[in-house]
Amino acid sequence: MARVASGRTTAATAAGDEPVPQRLLSVATRLFAEQGYELTSVQQIVDAAGVTKGAMYHYFGSKDDLLYEIYARVLRVQHARMESAAAADAPVQERLHAVAADVVATTAANLDDTKIFFRSMHLLHPDKQAEVRAERRRYHERVCGLIEEGQRAGVFRADKSPDLVVDFFFGAVHHLGTWFRQDGELTGEDVGTQFADLLLASLRP
C-alpha cells in the first residue's frame, strides 16, 4: 500500500505525474540501452528516476526484476492482443494474419525493450529465465493451434510442421532488432503486414 509523503506526493507519484514503477522502468530501459545491463547500477537508476532505493525496492526486489518486467510488460500486451484476435469470429486465415501482423508491430513499437532483454536475458536468475520461456512457449503454442486448425480445415498445407513454421516465423521476429529502425521507410505495421502475408503464403495448399 502506497503511503502519503509530505502531504503533496504519494509513493506511487513522486516528482512529476508518472507513477514510480513506470518511471523506474522507463529510466532502466534507457540506461540499459545506453550502457548495458551489467554496467548500470541500482544507484544510477534511482538517481535518474528521482527516487530513493527504498522506493525502488518497494516495487522491484532487484535490478533483475526491472529487467524481467521490461520484457514481461511487452509479453502481456502481446498475449492479450493475440487472444483477442485468435478468438475473433473470422476465418482462421484472417485470425492468423492478424496475430502475426500484431506481434511484429508490437515488437517494433517496443524494440528497445526487446533488444535489451534478448541481449541480457542470460544474466537473469534461472527461475526468471524459466518464467519468460514458459510465457513465450504459451504464445507459440497458441499460434501453433491456429495453424493446426487451418490444416484440419484444409485451408493450410498439411505437409509442414506447425512447430517448425512457428519457430521459423518467430526467429524472423526476434531478428527485428538488428535492422528495423523507427525512422525507416517501413513502419512497424507495414513490416507486420508483410511478415503476415509471407507466413500465410507459405501455408497455402
Side-chain angles (χ1 to χ4, degrees), residues 129-140:
Q129 291 187 41
E131 285 181 39
V132 172
R133 290 194 181 99
E135 285 296 321
R136 286 171 54 193
R137 189 64 213 164
R138 280 192 285 273
Y139 193 104
H140 289 196

Side-chain angles (χ1 to χ4, degrees), residues 47-194:
D47 285 348
V51 302
T52 65
K53 283 186 178 179
M56 174 184 148
Y57 290 130
H58 179 76
Y59 297 102
F60 302 100
S62 65
K63 193 173 73 166
D64 244 30
D65 288 346
L66 280 166
L67 178 60
Y68 172 80
E69 184 60 22
I70 283 171
Y71 189 55
R73 61 184 176 177
V74 179
L75 271 179
R76 284 195 294 270
V77 169
Q78 290 178 329
H79 267 282
R81 293 168 66 97
M82 180 266 292
E83 287 296 344
S84 177
D89 184 16
V92 67
Q93 306 98 304
E94 293 179 18
R95 287 182 279 134
L96 180 60
H97 190 282
V99 167
D102 183 74
V103 74
V104 174
T106 52
T107 297
N110 298 278
L111 206 58
D112 278 349
D113 302 42
T114 306
K115 285 163 63 177
I116 289 165
F117 189 80
F118 281 113
R119 189 170 63 202
S120 307
M121 179 180 170
H122 66 286
L123 299 171
L124 277 178
H125 187 279
D127 290 346
K128 290 288 187 185
Q129 291 187 41
E131 285 181 39
V132 172
R133 290 194 181 99
E135 285 296 321
R136 286 171 54 193
R137 189 64 213 164
R138 280 192 285 273
Y139 193 104
H140 289 196
E141 287 172 352
R142 188 71 169 93
V143 179
C144 276
L146 289 173
I147 295 173
E148 291 166 351
E149 179 184 341
Q151 289 176 329
R152 289 193 297 271
V155 296
F156 294 155
R157 58 190 300 172
D159 62 337
K160 301 300 177 189
S161 162
D163 279 324
L164 285 179
V165 172
V166 168
D167 285 344
F168 184 84
F169 176 77
F170 279 100
V173 175
H174 296 158
H175 193 62
L176 279 174
T178 66
W179 63 268
F180 180 79
R181 298 292 178 269
Q182 298 287 357
D183 58 353
E185 187 175 327
L186 296 174
T187 67
E189 288 75 14
D190 293 335
V191 176
T193 297
Q194 292 199 34

